[in-house]
Amino acid sequence: MKKILYCLTLTLIVFSLGCKKYLNEKPDTKLEIPTSLTDFQALIDNVSIMNFGPSAGETSADNYYLTDADYASLSQDNYKREYTWQNDYLFSILGNNDWFNTYRPAFTSNTILQNLSLSNYSSASQSTYNNVKGEAYFTRAQAFFQAADLWAQAYDVNTAGSQLGIPLRLGTDFNEKSTRSTLEETYDQIISDIRSSIKLLPVTPAHVIRPSKPAAYALLARVYLAMRKYNEAGLYADSCLQIYNTLIDYNTLSTSAAYPFKQFNPEVIRENKTPVPMPLNNSRARIDTLLYSSYANNDLRKTLFFKSSTNGTFVFKGSYEGGSNLFSGIATDEIYLIRAECYARSGSITNAMKDLNNLLINRFKTGTFTPLTAANSSSALSIILAERRKELLMRGLRWMDIKRLNKDGANITLKRRVNGQTYTLQPNDLRYALPIPEDIIQITGMEQNPR
């Protein structure tokens, strides 16, 4: 298995960078190519590759801020540039950056899909074959969606056919030139992959590190939410919750624990993590003051999600990873909020508030929660979106939300103040599509995101 992983990693480096010197290297005949279902399942189960979320969206979003001293302590200049929404050089060059780590699971998935037909398996192994194939489709879709969230503009049905999308690498030939699809083609591919996975995945996975049918429904709901296709988002959120809808009663958790939530807790539908980059380390990242103050005193999230830092500030401790890594997977609380939002947008106020209250009664101290009400759809939507931000902070979703909500006219303007200078990101700014790493542009000749 180590030989297989080494082979894939080496090939991916060539695939990602297009470095010509590798073409002249004599292949190592000892390297193994995966051919069996066992090999493919082992590749899928490599969580350090396949269950990985990029950090740049959360680093760029507005859930936190850095003091001048903490900003100065960032030893890598690209993080300073990322924090202040600079036009270029936001990612380390030829390194272990978000681009490499986002496309790596897509490449591994391509390897599996391309070679599955060559594997020998009996009819008794059909379910394993279907599961592996479904997991590969799911993981590629998730990788492409994460890439689109970072390196493409918010989806707009009126312009998606002409806007820049991402490179859709669907094979393993690193000699194939990378080109950018349109945004419409990007999302069509993502949706196609998820729909393919739904047909193949089991209802209950062997473990939540693996995708499942409810996870695929949930991912499709998230994708349609990003596209602002709210009817479809609500339908697929409902499909997920019809299968799995467990919520944790936060009263059962310890508010004094360093990390109150267990990894793989009962709300997790599919595990995915984001290793914490320098700006988001809880020794630096201070939670936005207005966001923290928006939690009611009886709201257990106020003590389970945060701990006090210096000078009356607060830092985040509420990751569903059970430690310092950030959870970027799929959990039932997010899906309840998607369905609630879509109900509100469709005018189904009673159902919208029922979903929201079902979530919140599990977040407040026992006996202190008064169900929320809304007089109209607009009021319901406002309440639900406020709770969405409070519930899902530091999960890699805020950047997507800002982009889509600004397309809906939310007029969210981001501001940072560093050493007396104010940096501003206006609604629908071109910088919401982050710059593709400059070395990738130089090597591939792809078009860079405009500024």
Side-chain angles (χ1 to χ4, degrees), residues 24-172:
N24 298 320
E25 294 290 335
K26 183 178 179 180
D28 185 345
T29 58
K30 295 180 181 179
L31 296 178
E32 298 176 7
I33 300 299
T35 57
S36 71
L37 292 181
T38 301
D39 291 340
F40 297 133
Q41 187 65 71
L43 290 173
I44 286 286
D45 290 342
N46 185 358
V47 294
S48 64
I49 292 176
M50 305 301 274
N51 299 71
F52 188 90
S55 63
E58 195 61 58
T59 304
S60 302
D62 60 348
N63 287 323
Y64 77 106
Y65 68 95
L66 300 177
T67 65
D68 288 348
D70 289 330
Y71 176 84
S73 73
L74 298 175
S75 60
Q76 292 180 219
D77 187 62
N78 61 286
Y79 285 129
K80 293 181 178 180
R81 301 182 66 80
E82 197 171 288
Y83 180 73
T84 53
W85 311 301
Q86 298 300 307
N87 286 334
D88 50 18
Y89 296 100
L90 269 58
F91 302 96
S92 58
I93 302 300
L94 298 177
N96 188 29
N97 60 26
D98 274 350
W99 182 272
F100 179 85
N101 288 318
T102 300
Y103 272 93
R104 184 160 56 164
F107 176 78
T108 304
S109 298
N110 289 341
T111 300
I112 293 168
L113 292 169
Q114 185 169 300
N115 290 283
L116 262 177
S117 60
L118 305 177
S119 62
N120 296 315
Y121 65 96
S122 65
S123 57
S125 302
Q126 184 66 53
S127 62
T128 302
Y129 175 92
N130 289 345
N131 188 54
V132 168
K133 190 173 184 179
E135 288 176 335
Y137 276 125
F138 177 99
T139 306
R140 185 170 72 182
Q142 179 176 260
F144 285 161
F145 180 57
Q146 290 172 337
D149 182 40
L150 295 186
W151 292 291
Q153 291 290 345
Y155 187 92
D156 187 327
V157 68
N158 297 311
T159 59
S162 58
Q163 282 188 306
L164 287 170
I166 62 168
L168 293 172
R169 301 295 302 225
L170 304 178
T172 59

Side-chain angles (χ1 to χ4, degrees), residues 139-444:
T139 306
R140 185 170 72 182
Q142 179 176 260
F144 285 161
F145 180 57
Q146 290 172 337
D149 182 40
L150 295 186
W151 292 291
Q153 291 290 345
Y155 187 92
D156 187 327
V157 68
N158 297 311
T159 59
S162 58
Q163 282 188 306
L164 287 170
I166 62 168
L168 293 172
R169 301 295 302 225
L170 304 178
T172 59
D173 181 4
F174 57 79
N175 290 302
E176 179 185 347
K177 184 178 179 180
S178 290
T179 58
R180 296 187 69 170
S181 65
T182 66
L183 194 56
E184 184 174 31
E185 291 168 340
T186 293
Y187 276 89
D188 284 349
Q189 183 64 52
I190 293 166
I191 291 169
S192 175
D193 279 353
I194 301 174
R195 290 186 183 277
S196 294
S197 76
I198 289 171
K199 301 172 185 177
L200 298 164
L201 290 169
V203 169
T204 304
H207 193 281
V208 292
I209 65 168
R210 295 181 182 176
S212 61
K213 201 176 294 291
Y217 283 134
L219 180 60
L220 195 50
R222 185 189 284 181
V223 170
Y224 276 125
L225 192 76
M227 298 173 74
R228 298 182 297 130
K229 293 189 176 185
Y230 297 115
N231 182 58
E232 292 89 341
L235 287 173
Y236 285 106
D238 181 70
S239 295
C240 171
L241 293 173
Q242 291 296 329
I243 301 173
Y244 191 81
N245 56 24
T246 300
L247 289 171
I248 302 170
D249 181 354
Y250 277 16
N251 287 279
T252 64
L253 305 175
S254 170
T255 58
S256 62
Y259 295 103
F261 299 95
K262 293 181 179 179
Q263 190 180 36
F264 316 134
N265 71 63
E267 286 190 10
V268 174
I269 301 173
R270 205 270 175 153
E271 160 69 9
N272 218 61
K273 74 174 68 175
T274 299
V276 177
M278 289 180 184
L280 296 180
N281 189 293
N282 64 12
S283 66
R284 294 188 179 91
R286 318 300 171 111
I287 295 300
D288 178 82
T289 305
L290 292 178
L291 175 58
Y292 176 78
S293 64
S294 69
Y295 294 84
N297 289 334
N298 287 325
D299 188 338
L300 291 166
R301 294 174 297 185
K302 196 165 190 175
T303 47
L304 290 169
F305 282 7
F306 311 111
K307 65 178 180 180
S308 60
S309 183
T310 57
N311 301 323
T313 61
F314 293 86
V315 297
F316 184 69
K317 68 169 185 175
S319 172
Y320 275 17
E321 284 300 305
S324 60
N325 288 324
L326 297 177
F327 177 74
S328 54
I330 300 169
T332 52
D333 56 349
E334 177 193 353
I335 310 309
Y336 272 103
L337 287 162
I338 291 177
R339 191 171 70 174
E341 178 181 340
C342 295
Y343 274 141
R345 290 181 182 277
S346 70
S348 185
I349 302 169
T350 300
N351 284 327
M353 301 311 291
K354 180 180 177 181
D355 270 350
L356 181 62
N357 288 325
N358 189 27
L359 171 67
L360 292 180
I361 198 170
N362 287 284
R363 300 311 190 236
F364 276 67
K365 292 179 182 178
T366 301
T368 66
F369 178 66
T370 301
L372 303 179
T373 60
N376 51 51
S377 293
S378 177
S379 175
L381 181 60
S382 178
I383 294 169
I384 290 164
L385 289 177
E387 292 300 329
R388 176 180 171 88
R389 187 178 181 198
K390 289 157 67 175
E391 178 73 17
L392 303 178
L393 78 165
M394 294 296 179
R395 292 206 196 169
L397 296 171
R398 179 60 178 167
W399 191 244
M400 176 193 86
D401 280 348
I402 295 170
K403 291 167 69 171
R404 70 178 177 93
L405 293 173
N406 275 341
K407 277 289 184 180
D408 281 333
N411 199 34
I412 301 169
T413 299
L414 305 188
K415 292 184 179 181
R416 313 269 207 211
R417 190 161 180 83
V418 179
N419 296 323
Q421 182 175 351
T422 300
Y423 298 87
T424 304
L425 192 63
Q426 298 288 350
N428 305 311
D429 193 293
L430 290 175
R431 289 174 292 171
Y432 275 106
L434 303 182
I436 292 174
E438 282 71 16
D439 53 319
I440 299 297
I441 295 296
Q442 182 178 3
I443 291 166
T444 64

